[in-house]
């Protein structure tokens, strides 16, 4: 089981409490598709992704970004049992969506960059960054766990 | 994965905007590295104080960013331009090259916190590619 210090729990709930998934999610997914363009392989049905402007303006990308970011709610609500909380989602990503789990790590990086930009240096301190990245790493690990 | 002409322009333009803050960026990135990735502290056991913003962290952050500035100037041939730095890292410092990626990530996080409006997705991808290219050039002499 993951050990969380009180400071880490506080950092995560503080950040999560101020995150608008409709704002952060689209920005994070947009960055994933731009910074790591091979991730576009999973979004053939999303329409025009041919330019940065097209990706930024794509409504399906925005909607999906919101969906994915909302998925973190499960982790926030189940911080002492993230592994099991994501078991079904992990199977789905493996067997149905066929997503390389390295993409979870890449998306986590993009989420951190967007959260950093939103909160700035006085809120997103080194210790908040540590807690947040640890949190995302646990989610990433849980999502990759059921792959076989 | 190569730096296109557009990537280089984007990096140079962005760097021109932020270069006066280079030392602060370096201090912040290094401070975060030591806190968020504590295994990196193993390289600095000779420092008295590893806390964020301490004197040795500030000094070394400035040193690292001076290297990044040099890389921007030599962006057209990083391999040749960073040869002696690569030798330093390979033979003297022997920093595990995996740490280049982790430091790059922290530099990007600092750029995001400090320049949220300028650090657009386009700048992000160009800087990520540039720092990856720098890391590759630094790894050149390792083996």
């Amino acid at each position: 089981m993951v050990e969380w210090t009180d400071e880490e729990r506080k950092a995560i709930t503080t950040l999560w409490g101020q995150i608008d998934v409709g704002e952060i999610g689209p920005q994070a997914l947009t960055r994933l598709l731009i910074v790591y363009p091979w991730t576009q392989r999973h979004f053939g049905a999303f329409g025009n992704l041919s330019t940065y402007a097209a990706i930024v303006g794509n409504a399906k990308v925005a909607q999906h970004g919101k969906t994915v970011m909302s998925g973190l709610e499960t982790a926030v609500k189940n911080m002492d049992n993230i592994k099991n909380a994501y078991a079904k989602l992990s199977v789905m990503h493996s067997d149905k969506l066929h997503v390389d789990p390295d993409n979870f790590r890449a998306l986590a990086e993009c989420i951190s960059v967007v959260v950093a930009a939103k909160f700035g240096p006085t809120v997103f301190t080194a210790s908040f960054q540590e807690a947040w990245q640890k949190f995302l790493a646990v989610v990433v690990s849980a999502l990759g766990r059921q792959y076989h | 994965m190569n730096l296109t002409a557009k990537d280089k322009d984007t990096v140079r333009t962005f760097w021109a905007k932020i270069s006066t803050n280079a030392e602060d960026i370096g201090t912040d990135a290094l401070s975060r590295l030591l806190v968020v990735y504590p295994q990196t502290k193993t390289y600095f056991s000779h420092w008295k104080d590893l806390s964020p913003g301490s004197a040795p962290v500030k000094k070394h952050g400035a040193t690292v960013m001076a290297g990044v500035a040099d890389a921007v100037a030599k962006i057209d041939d990083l391999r040749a331009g960073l040869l002696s730095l690569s030798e330093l890292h390979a033979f003297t410092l022997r920093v595990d090259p995996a740490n280049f990626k982790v430091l790059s990530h922290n530099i990007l996080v600092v750029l995001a916190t400090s320049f949220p409006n300028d650090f657009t997705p386009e700048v992000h991808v160009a800087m990520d590619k540039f720092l990856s290219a720098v890391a590759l050039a630094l790894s050149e002499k390792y083996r």
Side-chain angles (χ1 to χ4, degrees), chain A residues 12-77:
Chain A
I12 292 156
T13 49
T14 301
L15 289 172
W16 186 252
Q18 295 172 66
I19 284 173
D20 174 358
V21 297
E23 180 198 358
I24 301 294
Q27 285 178 26
L29 188 62
T30 297
R31 289 210 179 222
L32 180 76
L33 297 172
I34 287 173
V35 178
Y36 306 103
W38 51 91
T39 57
Q40 292 170 25
R41 73 192 301 281
H42 295 289
F43 302 106
F46 274 30
N48 187 8
L49 297 177
S50 57
T51 63
Y52 293 163
I55 294 170
V56 168
N58 188 308
K60 284 188 173 166
V61 170
Q63 181 53 46
H64 194 63
K66 186 177 173 191
T67 301
V68 168
M69 195 71 195
S70 307
L72 284 178
E73 175 90 14
T74 300
V76 176
K77 290 213 155 84

Side-chain angles (χ1 to χ4, degrees), chain B:
Chain B
M1 289 192 278
N2 249 316
L3 287 170
T4 64
K6 182 163 179 282
D7 290 328
K8 294 179 191 178
D9 273 338
T10 304
V11 170
R12 278 189 280 245
T13 305
F14 183 64
W15 184 257
K17 257 190 214 168
I18 68 171
S19 57
T20 45
N21 298 82
E23 287 186 14
D24 288 337
I25 293 169
T27 301
D28 197 356
L30 191 58
S31 301
R32 285 173 189 268
L33 181 77
L34 297 168
V35 170
V36 182
Y37 303 90
Q39 68 274 16
T40 57
K41 291 195 287 192
T42 55
Y43 291 97
F44 304 106
S45 52
H46 55 290
W47 286 357
K48 257 187 254 166
D49 186 356
L50 285 161
S51 58
S54 70
V57 170
K58 271 176 99 164
K59 183 161 179 278
H60 197 61
T63 302
V64 169
M65 288 316 275
V68 174
D70 194 37
V72 175
K74 295 171 176 168
I75 200 169
D76 286 316
D77 192 352
L78 287 170
R79 223 168 134 246
L82 300 182
L83 199 60
S84 51
L85 259 183
S86 179
E87 283 171 349
L88 176 72
H89 284 76
F91 304 132
T92 309
L93 302 176
R94 287 177 292 196
V95 173
D96 189 321
N99 294 299
F100 300 151
K101 195 172 198 322
V102 162
L103 179 59
S104 297
H105 169 71
N106 282 297
I107 291 172
L108 294 178
V109 165
V110 170
L111 294 177
T113 59
S114 310
F115 308 99
N117 298 316
D118 292 301
F119 195 62
T120 60
E122 292 94 317
V123 169
H124 181 168
V125 63
M127 285 303 295
D128 192 29
K129 285 176 76 176
F130 167 65
L131 291 174
S132 302
V134 170
L136 192 62
L138 281 177
S139 313
E140 186 69 30
K141 304 301 280 181
Y142 269 69
R143 56 176 177 174

Side-chain angles (χ1 to χ4, degrees), chain A residues 45-142:
Chain A
F46 274 30
N48 187 8
L49 297 177
S50 57
T51 63
Y52 293 163
I55 294 170
V56 168
N58 188 308
K60 284 188 173 166
V61 170
Q63 181 53 46
H64 194 63
K66 186 177 173 191
T67 301
V68 168
M69 195 71 195
S70 307
L72 284 178
E73 175 90 14
T74 300
V76 176
K77 290 213 155 84
N78 293 280
M79 276 189 59
D80 294 309
N81 194 21
I82 292 177
K83 205 164 56 176
N84 293 321
Y86 281 104
K88 285 212 179 93
L89 255 184
S90 177
V91 171
M92 183 182 103
H93 281 76
S94 161
D95 297 352
K96 188 159 164 265
L97 302 176
H98 308 294
V99 176
D100 182 339
D102 202 56
N103 291 306
F104 306 148
R105 196 202 40 78
L107 179 58
E109 275 186 21
C110 291
I111 291 172
S112 293
V113 166
V114 172
V115 165
K118 175 170 176 69
F119 288 106
T122 47
V123 172
F124 201 66
T125 57
S127 60
F128 264 45
Q129 181 185 346
E130 188 269 334
W132 181 251
Q133 288 193 196
K134 179 177 166 178
F135 170 69
L136 290 182
V138 172
V139 173
V140 165
S141 169

